[in-house]
Amino acid sequence: MKIQLQGRVALSLCWGFLASLILAAPASAVERRVVDVVGISWSGAATMSSSVTEVASKVDGEVRSRWEDLTNLIGSVEDKRIQFYVGQILSENIGLNTPLLCNRTDFATFMNSIRTEAYRRLRISESKDRYLVILMPRANCIWEGRSLIGVPGTKGGTLILQDTSDPFVIAHELGHSLGLGHSNFLRCPATRGDGSWDQCQAVEYGGTVDLMGNVPTNAPLSTYHQWRMGLVSDSQVSEIWNSQQISLSAADMATGTKAIFLRDGKSTYWIEYRRVRLESGYQAGLVVYRTDPPPASSVVSPNVEDSFSSASNVSVSTDMWLINLDNFNYANSRSSGSMTLGKGKVFSVFSGKVSFELTELATNQESATVSIKLNADSTPPPTPRLVSINTVGSFQDSVLQAGFEDLETFVKSFEIRRNEKIIESFGNPDPNWRPTYLSPFRANRILSIADLPEGKYSLAIRTIDVAGNKSQWSLPQEVNIDRGAPVLENKVSVVGYSRNGVSLKLMGVQDEGSTLCSTSIYNKFDFVLRRSIEKMAPQFDFPLNESMGNRIQARDCLGNAADAKINVSNSWIEADKGSRTGTWKAQIDNYGNRELICSGKCSASITARGNLAILAKSADSDVYVSGKKVGRLTNTAGSNIFNVEVGARQKVIRISGKGITLSGYVESRIEISDVKIKLPTTQGVDPTLTQSTQVTLRGFGFRQEDFVNDWRVLPMAGGTETTDPTLDLCGNNYESEKLRENRRQVVVTRSGTNYAFLSSESVQYKNVAATSQALEELQANLAQCKKNVGIKEATGTFTKYVFANTEPQEKFLDIKNSVIVHAVMGEGQQARTLYGIYQFNGNYFTGLYVVRSGSDFFSAEELSNWTEVARVFKVRLQNK
């Protein structure tokens, strides 16, 4: 089982290129942030020349002062200073079982395990917002420090120092904890300062303009890093698409326009103004950075791991790359000269389409005027391509395939051609948009189903960019735009019955537009209990003499949905109830019920409401409701059910005629209320279902149709491979892992879920013996884990387990071939609660994993729900 917790902190290798964080809202007041210091060591480790007390002293001294200065911009209305201070120091080192490997691939896991152990020893349960500095012996690592990179605007972090108390290194690593990447250098051929990535090198650390390079400096943070931290707002960055003049405030100022962002094709530029700072080696002028990520082949770094960097990641980069605009030089972790563009000098980007010039400096150097010249854009956007409109699952989904975006600027609006009529539309911001290095401030606009006129017509679309260039028209497509949701009304009809159950058609569930595609009855956990794909009046089986309260959701074939509460009750009424005239005799029918037969002229009356299904046959009898004839019974084979829609008030229903066989009645009552219209959504496409083995394994665990209300069921990363573990409960001693042939693990997600992880996993083993071995190993490891009250991790730290009683749940499953676990794993901030059900049948396995953060056990209601889901999995395994 591979558990992938939402919100997990990503690893910064301090020296590696990073480009994957979403910006958080900036802090609006002074922030005091506590730093704790611990040491680690191992057998045979070198004696450290630094100490935890020395590190703490530097944090409370130079490091605190440096970060207060960097976050205290001149003229700031709000106090946004960050003040680091020492909290607690662990006097004894934490001992490791093995020496620390400098480039271990699981560094994030290792750091988090040390963090857990450190705060356990420090007796601090609420550690989420604290920063932990780990001091280690020198191990011949090329780096002086490494850090887990944080999310701007949040608190807490972990960093490690290799036997150093250098305040610059500590401050730099804390910068990573604050969400900052590196200040790097763009090294191009001697004749030019800018170039394409295939012509230039991305020199790690080399942009020594601020703390996030590797040459000590007290210069202000770049405005790019200020922006990522929230010290500079989006409104203080001017995004440029045409020639103009802009006044820029100096990098150390708090107000005014602080930076210019410009895109030239797929290259992006960030421009700021700095006043003279001779002690840092630069003159007053413009500083320009590239913010588009380089390919790994362009990266120059002392660290081999930087070759893992990828330009395919389009997220906002944590790093930036300084362009030399004067006589700047960087080599061997040393820099000299000035990188600024002085007054009267012109810089052109490598395409030649954009140039900058600093035309004027304020007397006090607090601001500068920048002239930007852009070549006129005359290139139209690419010709858009329509998706298959009639199969789009959500009103919010784009009706255009990816690739319609303008390569030079951006698409500002659209034109819709409905038959021969042209309609202009600005569309809407893409609801799935996330900041990218190409568009860090402005959401791309899309045209969705909601923007199209309703009706049947020939549709074509073209796009218009910010410069007014128009694309070619897309190929036309015949569409039927229907945004009307299905109708849910209180009408049912009995179509079948047995001794214990009844089949009902929900006659009030209809869609006159594109017809129904699915109707689901689901519980409060959004798990589908019953599902129908009938086009009209879906049919479901219900128990007799029971009342059921859930919710129903009907969705048409264009994704429109209606959702409501539903209460259904079905009562069996014996044939001898009510009143009768004539001569009747009794016999027992095929279901063991008492059946009445009248061969002469007779009648039978019953009082009911809702829907009454008369279970009878007759060649010559009529049915009356409150004395009014409503129909006639038949004697056709297989047609012995006559439905009467009585209504909400009780009425008398009478059968009158000759030759009547009366088996009884079913009174059905349905109440649909709290009807809500739901906009269409899409659950994403699962590309793995083109593989026959994945289709087979999909049949055992969670499927997309098992959920409603925007839950997504998709394979997790590595979930279709056998390289990741299946059975890792209470350790990793499972030889049966080598006997797996195929695997499918899906994760169920939705925004706002209370679960840190909800997943099912299905595995095909080589044979039945391998499955039996897996079950035995699981039972043995669980028993040992319960005996030891936890496990010792590979790092040497102990993870505590607290197990709950699972006997009430075990009675619902075949416990001989199943394992049920309900446990709290870990303590404090690292605690998480698992409810896991592992089931084996033949050479197949299916696991259900429900994980929630914290140390509270699941409620009885939750356990009942997920145990019922496991019973569904059990049936699927048995029917394989």
Side-chain angles (χ1 to χ4, degrees):
M1 171 184 64
K2 182 179 180 182
I3 294 181
Q4 179 178 315
L5 299 181
Q6 295 183 1
R8 174 175 288 177
V9 177
L11 172 65
S12 164
L13 299 183
C14 168
W15 23 254
F17 164 70
L18 299 159
S20 59
L21 294 178
I22 296 173
L23 304 181
S28 59
V30 61
E31 291 281 0
R32 283 180 53 79
R33 307 200 180 193
V34 59
V35 179
D36 305 303
V37 186
V38 302
I40 62 173
S41 191
W42 54 86
S43 177
T47 302
M48 286 191 277
S49 59
S50 301
S51 66
V52 290
T53 54
E54 189 176 346
V55 170
S57 175
K58 296 298 176 63
V59 170
D60 269 339
E62 297 172 60
V63 174
R64 177 195 295 183
S65 297
R66 183 186 292 267
W67 271 110
E68 281 195 57
D69 290 342
L70 291 174
T71 53
N72 186 27
L73 300 178
I74 299 171
S76 178
V77 177
E78 298 175 288
D79 188 352
K80 296 185 178 181
R81 289 176 298 158
I82 291 178
Q83 298 176 337
F84 289 109
Y85 68 95
V86 173
Q88 294 197 36
I89 303 172
L90 189 62
S91 57
E92 293 186 7
N93 289 337
I94 298 172
L96 305 185
N97 292 336
T98 58
L100 186 147
L101 300 178
C102 301
N103 298 319
R104 59 188 300 165
T105 57
D106 63 339
F107 218 91
T109 303
F110 168 75
M111 296 269 272
N112 282 325
S113 68
I114 296 298
R115 184 181 178 93
T116 300
E117 180 63 15
Y119 283 114
R120 185 188 71 82
R121 295 191 185 192
L122 290 171
R123 299 177 181 272
I124 297 174
S125 58
E126 296 296 326
S127 61
K128 178 173 65 71
D129 293 341
R130 303 173 78 97
Y131 294 82
L132 182 69
V133 178
I134 304 167
L135 182 66
M136 62 169 276
R138 189 154 293 278
N140 295 321
C141 301
I142 197 168
W143 44 265
E144 294 296 298
R146 293 177 73 166
S147 173
L148 297 182
I149 196 163
V151 177
T154 63
K155 295 180 181 179
T158 307
L159 60 99
I160 189 165
L161 304 174
Q162 185 184 200
D163 193 14
T164 181
S165 59
D166 187 328
F168 176 79
V169 175
I170 299 171
H172 175 101
E173 299 304 329
L174 283 171
H176 287 315
S177 292
L178 294 171
L180 305 183
H182 284 140
S183 297
N184 306 309
F185 178 47
L186 179 72
R187 178 179 290 153
C188 295
T191 57
R192 57 200 314 183
D194 186 28
S196 61
W197 282 122
D198 61 350
Q199 298 172 323
C200 302
Q201 295 176 326
V203 182
E204 198 75 11
Y205 296 112
T208 59
V209 70
D210 64 10
L211 174 70
M212 300 315 292
N214 69 347
V215 177
T217 177
N218 289 317
L221 285 174
S222 70
T223 55
Y224 187 77
H225 290 322
Q226 291 177 17
W227 168 68
R228 285 193 49 76
M229 289 181 62
L231 298 173
V232 168
S233 66
D234 287 1
S235 63
Q236 290 182 280
V237 183
S238 182
E239 191 173 15
I240 299 299
W241 300 104
N242 50 45
S243 299
Q244 57 185 281
Q245 284 196 336
I246 291 179
S247 177
L248 280 182
S249 295
D252 56 350
M253 301 295 294
T255 59
T257 300
K258 293 292 298 292
I260 297 168
F261 174 78
L262 185 141
R263 190 180 111 204
D264 180 27
K266 291 191 175 182
S267 300
T268 53
Y269 298 84
W270 186 281
I271 302 96
E272 69 184 20
Y273 161 66
R274 288 185 173 243
R275 47 180 147 191
V276 63
R277 195 177 185 93
L278 295 179
E279 66 271 27
S280 297
Y282 58 80
Q283 301 291 331
L286 301 181
V287 178
V288 181
Y289 311 102
R290 287 274 292 275
T291 59
D292 51 301
S297 58
S298 296
V299 176
V300 176
S301 173
N303 307 290
V304 175
E305 288 74 11
D306 288 330
S307 62
F308 301 141
S309 302
S310 174
S312 62
N313 190 336
V314 298
S315 301
V316 173
S317 175
T318 59
D319 289 24
M320 44 72 165
W321 292 264
L322 174 72
I323 297 176
N324 177 23
L325 301 179
D326 194 359
N327 60 351
F328 178 78
N329 182 59
Y330 175 83
N332 301 321
S333 298
R334 291 181 175 84
S335 62
S336 62
S338 176
M339 74 292 291
T340 57
L341 183 73
K343 181 180 177 181
K345 295 181 180 180
V346 177
F347 163 70
S348 295
V349 304
F350 72 90
S351 71
K353 296 178 181 179
V354 185
S355 64
F356 309 94
E357 181 182 359
L358 195 162
T359 58
E360 186 177 346
L361 280 177
T363 304
N364 57 9
Q365 292 193 7
E366 290 184 355
S367 64
T369 302
V370 185
S371 176
I372 304 107
K373 294 182 179 180
L374 280 76
N375 291 355
D377 175 20
S378 59
T379 305
T383 302
R385 295 176 299 163
L386 295 174
V387 300
S388 181
I389 303 293
N390 294 330
T391 61
V392 172
S394 168
F395 283 164
Q396 282 74 44
D397 284 353
S398 175
V399 300
L400 298 179
Q401 297 182 34
F404 73 88
E405 299 85 359
D406 188 64
L407 301 179
E408 299 298 324
T409 56
F410 64 92
V411 170
K412 182 184 69 172
S413 61
F414 306 85
E415 285 185 343
I416 302 167
R417 190 173 69 196
R418 176 181 180 176
N419 295 328
E420 299 304 320
K421 182 180 179 181
I422 295 177
I423 305 167
E424 185 176 3
S425 174
F426 287 97
N428 287 285
D430 184 353
N432 297 316
W433 174 80
R434 294 293 182 269
T436 67
Y437 77 87
L438 289 171
S439 183
F441 307 105
R442 174 192 42 78
N444 297 327
R445 302 196 77 79
I446 64 168
L447 197 68
S448 64
I449 292 288
D451 300 310
L452 300 180
E454 290 198 87
K456 294 184 178 180
Y457 53 88
S458 174
L459 171 70
I461 292 170
R462 68 181 176 189
T463 60
I464 306 173
D465 68 21
V466 70
N469 302 303
K470 295 183 178 182
S471 72
Q472 296 293 313
W473 287 104
S474 68
L475 293 176
Q477 186 179 131
E478 295 298 320
V479 299
N480 177 18
I481 306 301
D482 169 23
R483 290 194 287 272
V487 175
L488 305 179
E489 295 180 349
N490 298 322
K491 296 179 182 179
V492 297
S493 181
V494 175
V495 294
Y497 68 95
S498 66
R499 188 176 183 85
N500 299 313
V502 61
S503 294
L504 292 184
K505 265 193 169 300
L506 306 188
M507 306 302 293
V509 180
Q510 303 281 344
D511 186 87
E512 296 182 357
S514 57
T515 72
L516 298 172
C517 259
S518 68
T519 305
S520 301
I521 295 175
Y522 65 97
N523 63 17
K524 66 178 295 182
F525 296 92
D526 294 337
F527 188 78
V528 174
L529 306 172
R530 296 169 175 83
R531 185 172 185 267
S532 169
I533 58 172
E534 291 177 274
K535 297 295 184 182
M536 305 291 281
Q539 179 176 323
F540 297 99
D541 292 334
F542 296 94
L544 276 170
N545 302 318
E546 287 185 25
S547 180
M548 185 209 73
N550 289 110
R551 290 195 72 90
I552 184 171
Q553 187 171 116
R555 188 174 293 276
D556 70 16
C557 293
L558 292 179
N560 308 303
D563 188 278
K565 290 180 181 178
I566 183 171
N567 283 279
V568 178
S569 63
N570 297 283
S571 302
W572 174 264
I573 302 174
E574 297 284 354
D576 59 1
K577 300 299 181 183
S579 61
R580 292 174 303 284
T581 64
T583 302
W584 298 77
K585 64 179 181 179
Q587 67 179 30
I588 303 300
D589 69 8
N590 295 334
Y591 299 109
N593 297 314
R594 194 162 180 259
E595 186 176 71
L596 299 180
I597 300 175
C598 174
S599 57
K601 186 174 182 180
C602 49
S603 69
S605 300
I606 194 77
T607 300
R609 62 188 176 95
N611 182 87
L612 184 71
I614 303 170
L615 312 179
K617 290 184 179 181
S618 175
D620 186 20
S621 295
D622 297 318
V623 179
Y624 299 84
V625 176
S626 298
K628 182 179 180 181
K629 182 178 175 179
V630 294
R632 202 170 165 77
L633 296 181
T634 68
N635 206 22
T636 306
S639 179
N640 65 330
I641 303 175
F642 186 90
N643 284 278
V644 180
E645 189 180 336
V646 181
R649 300 180 63 180
Q650 282 197 335
K651 297 176 183 177
V652 175
I653 297 90
R654 179 168 57 91
I655 309 167
S656 180
K658 298 179 181 179
I660 303 172
T661 299
L662 179 62
S663 298
Y665 312 89
V666 174
E667 184 185 55
S668 300
R669 300 177 185 176
I670 180 172
E671 181 181 355
I672 292 177
S673 60
D674 187 31
V675 178
K676 299 177 180 178
I677 304 304
K678 300 183 73 68
L679 294 176
T681 57
T682 181
Q683 280 74 42
V685 177
D686 183 352
T688 68
L689 294 181
T690 58
Q691 306 169 30
S692 60
T693 55
Q694 290 300 305
V695 173
T696 299
L697 293 177
R698 176 185 180 272
F700 303 144
F702 283 132
R703 311 164 183 171
Q704 183 59 65
E705 59 266 28
D706 286 336
F707 289 89
V708 294
N709 297 330
D710 303 334
W711 289 92
R712 294 191 174 199
V713 181
L714 292 170
M716 65 188 300
T720 60
E721 304 168 357
T722 55
T723 51
D724 283 335
T726 294
L727 301 180
D728 56 1
L729 179 71
C730 295
N732 54 10
N733 183 25
Y734 289 91
E735 289 297 317
S736 57
E737 294 291 276
K738 302 173 185 177
L739 304 177
R740 297 173 298 163
E741 288 193 334
N742 296 295
R743 171 175 172 265
R744 177 179 178 82
Q745 184 172 8
V746 297
V747 61
V748 185
T749 58
R750 187 182 69 180
S751 176
T753 175
N754 293 325
Y755 298 112
F757 188 69
L758 177 59
S759 174
S760 72
E761 183 173 16
S762 300
V763 171
Q764 179 185 12
Y765 286 89
K766 289 185 176 180
N767 47 47
V768 175
T771 311
S772 299
Q773 179 181 336
L775 174 60
E776 291 171 2
E777 290 175 343
L778 179 63
Q779 292 169 332
N781 280 349
L782 178 60
Q784 190 64 41
C785 192
K786 288 182 176 180
K787 179 180 178 181
N788 297 337
V789 198
I791 60 170
K792 192 171 185 180
E793 307 284 0
T795 59
T797 59
F798 183 81
T799 300
K800 182 180 179 181
Y801 279 58
V802 179
F803 292 92
N805 179 26
T806 57
E807 289 182 6
Q809 290 76 48
E810 290 173 359
K811 65 182 180 181
F812 291 102
L813 298 169
D814 178 9
I815 199 60
K816 291 183 179 179
N817 294 307
S818 305
V819 171
I820 302 179
V821 179
H822 186 196
V824 175
M825 305 177 293
E827 300 175 89
Q829 294 294 318
Q830 303 300 319
R832 59 197 189 279
T833 304
L834 165 70
Y835 186 52
I837 300 181
Y838 306 73
Q839 300 186 80
F840 300 83
N841 186 46
N843 63 324
Y844 288 94
F845 157 80
T846 294
L848 168 65
Y849 315 126
V850 188
V851 180
R852 188 170 58 203
S853 298
S855 56
D856 294 332
F857 286 116
F858 290 101
S859 67
E861 184 181 34
E862 288 178 294
L863 294 175
S864 175
N865 172 72
W866 297 117
T867 304
E868 184 61 36
V869 171
R871 289 181 67 179
V872 172
F873 289 1
K874 175 182 176 181
V875 172
R876 291 176 181 177
L877 270 178
Q878 291 173 338
N879 295 336
K880 66 179 186 298

